Amino acid sequence: MILADKIINERKKNGWSQEELAEKLSVSRQSVSKWEGAQSVPDLQKVIQMADIFGVTTDYLLKDEIGPEEPVVGLREEATSYPPKRKVSMEEANEFLYDKEKYTPISSIGVALCICCAVPLIFLAGLSDTNVISENLAAGIGVVILFLIIASALVLFMVYGRLMGKYEFLQKDDFETEYGVTGMAKERMASEESKHLICDVLGVVLCILCPVPLLIAAFAETETYIITAMVCVLLVMVAVAVNFFIVGSSVYDGCKMLLREGDYTAEKKRAEKKLSPLASAYWMLATAIFLGYSFVTNDWEHSWILWPVAAVLYVVVLNIAKVCMKIED
């Protein structure tokens, strides 16, 4: 048997199409077709890769005089010890991208509400300096509104999670796609490129410009309530910027999930599972510190600063954890 015949036999033995084998080897379907038609020969690296996924030796694939053999001990046995990967059909993939585009605004509004939750409190605190409203009344009303906004955001997150929960495996687990899904995802990703770029640019511009109103008010030495109002404007601009990032990348990231690229490779997903308990514990601790400090000191006007500080420290903690766990980016 020649190499071409052996590739055909092993592929069919595993029940894979040429497209599926091509995806596993990170080559085009045309390349696999040429190998099986003896029109070209795969390079040594691809032969080694095929031997690994077929569970055979390279000698079996390369030497014509060696006939069919039993799977290499430790390869097939190891492969069968894992549960079979879920397959994503074309219909399911299209439905996922449709729902991703349709429901992402629910999540993005929830994020915006979280960013802006302190805006009423900050604004009322600044307004209390003008004697329009007493400081205690301003703090009381501001805290009530803050909790109402946070509660609304949590409801939106729960609704989004309920609607998109059936696709959670795409983000967390390894899977396979049926014939045609890869091509569809690549085409859709290319069509979303311009929207993704425009939203990213708008988001970055807003993030760069958001401190400008506050800086102008500070340099002009205006009244305190004006400066606090500019802080509110800053937070609203950041919220809008984050919305651009989330909405603009919703379908684009969905295509990456289907293609298992970027942050959605099998290696990244395994790393995410390892870091997930740490992330949960970190944000629960941050929330406890925020609420504990705010209730004890009643300094709600300034305690919101904990969140941007916690976000910066989270990146540091995450990178330290990756080094300790020997997780590569």
Side-chain angles (χ1 to χ4, degrees):
M1 292 177 66
I2 62 173
L3 174 59
D5 294 330
K6 292 176 181 179
I7 294 175
I8 294 172
N9 286 346
E10 293 300 322
R11 175 176 64 78
K12 290 183 176 179
K13 189 187 298 182
N14 284 276
W16 298 330
S17 64
Q18 288 185 344
E19 173 84 11
E20 289 171 324
L21 178 59
E23 288 184 10
K24 295 177 185 297
L25 296 171
S26 299
V27 298
S28 66
R29 187 197 63 78
Q30 288 77 8
S31 295
V32 174
S33 178
K34 288 181 179 180
W35 297 343
E36 294 186 352
Q39 296 174 317
S40 66
V41 178
D43 59 39
L44 182 58
Q45 187 62 41
K46 294 302 178 187
V47 172
I48 295 173
Q49 195 174 349
M50 277 191 285
D52 183 45
I53 66 174
F54 288 151
V56 298
T57 63
T58 52
D59 281 348
Y60 163 66
L61 290 177
L62 294 173
K63 295 181 179 179
D64 295 349
E65 64 272 15
I66 299 180
E69 60 175 29
E70 293 298 319
V72 177
V73 177
L75 289 178
R76 283 293 171 85
E77 287 80 354
E78 181 181 355
T80 55
S81 65
Y82 294 96
K85 296 178 183 178
R86 178 169 176 175
K87 280 199 174 185
V88 179
S89 66
M90 177 69 80
E91 181 181 1
E92 191 173 17
N94 278 313
E95 184 182 358
F96 164 66
L97 294 179
Y98 174 80
D99 288 347
K100 184 85 170 160
E101 185 174 26
K102 181 179 179 181
Y103 298 128
T104 292
I106 296 175
S107 173
S108 66
I109 292 172
V111 173
L113 288 175
C114 288
I115 295 172
C116 296
C117 65
V119 167
L121 182 62
I122 296 170
F123 180 76
L124 289 171
L127 199 62
S128 66
D129 289 339
T130 63
N131 296 321
V132 173
I133 186 174
S134 68
E135 186 175 346
N136 289 337
L137 182 59
I141 295 174
V143 170
V144 170
I145 296 175
L146 181 145
F147 280 110
L148 288 174
I149 292 175
I150 292 176
S152 300
L154 289 176
V155 170
L156 290 176
F157 291 145
M158 291 172 65
V159 170
Y160 179 77
R162 189 68 177 269
L163 292 170
M164 298 297 293
K166 60 183 176 180
Y167 306 115
E168 189 176 6
F169 74 95
L170 293 173
Q171 186 171 354
K172 295 185 176 181
D173 302 326
D174 197 11
F175 59 89
E176 295 179 346
T177 55
E178 292 186 356
Y179 179 78
V181 173
T182 297
M184 179 277 292
K186 287 181 179 179
E187 289 180 6
R188 186 68 187 275
M189 191 173 178
S191 69
E192 290 286 327
E193 186 75 41
S194 58
K195 175 184 175 181
H196 178 59
L197 178 61
I198 292 171
C199 288
D200 272 2
V201 170
L202 291 174
V204 170
V205 170
L206 282 173
C207 286
I208 294 172
L209 295 180
C210 66
V212 172
L214 179 60
L215 292 174
I216 292 174
F219 289 142
E221 298 182 355
T222 56
E223 299 292 333
T224 303
Y225 75 91
I226 296 179
I227 294 177
T228 55
M230 292 304 101
V231 172
C232 296
V233 172
L234 182 151
L235 291 174
V236 171
M237 291 178 70
V238 170
V240 174
V242 171
N243 259 262
F244 275 124
F245 291 139
I246 296 174
V247 174
S249 64
S250 61
V251 177
Y252 192 84
D253 280 352
C255 293
K256 279 190 172 183
M257 287 185 197
L258 293 173
L259 295 170
R260 288 152 290 173
E261 295 179 352
D263 292 332
Y264 306 106
T265 61
E267 294 76 15
K268 292 279 188 180
K269 290 176 181 178
R270 285 193 289 268
E272 187 69 24
K273 285 184 178 179
K274 290 181 180 179
L275 294 170
S276 181
L278 173 65
S280 299
Y282 179 89
W283 289 113
M284 287 176 65
L285 178 62
T287 303
I289 293 173
F290 167 72
L291 293 175
Y293 173 82
S294 301
F295 276 116
V296 170
T297 63
N298 201 30
D299 189 18
W300 296 90
E301 181 180 350
H302 300 100
S303 61
W304 64 272
I305 296 173
L306 179 142
W307 294 112
V309 173
V312 173
L313 290 177
Y314 177 67
V315 177
V316 177
V317 171
L318 207 61
N319 284 307
I320 292 174
K322 286 181 179 179
V323 171
C324 295
M325 296 180 183
K326 297 180 180 180
I327 296 174
E328 297 182 0
D329 288 325

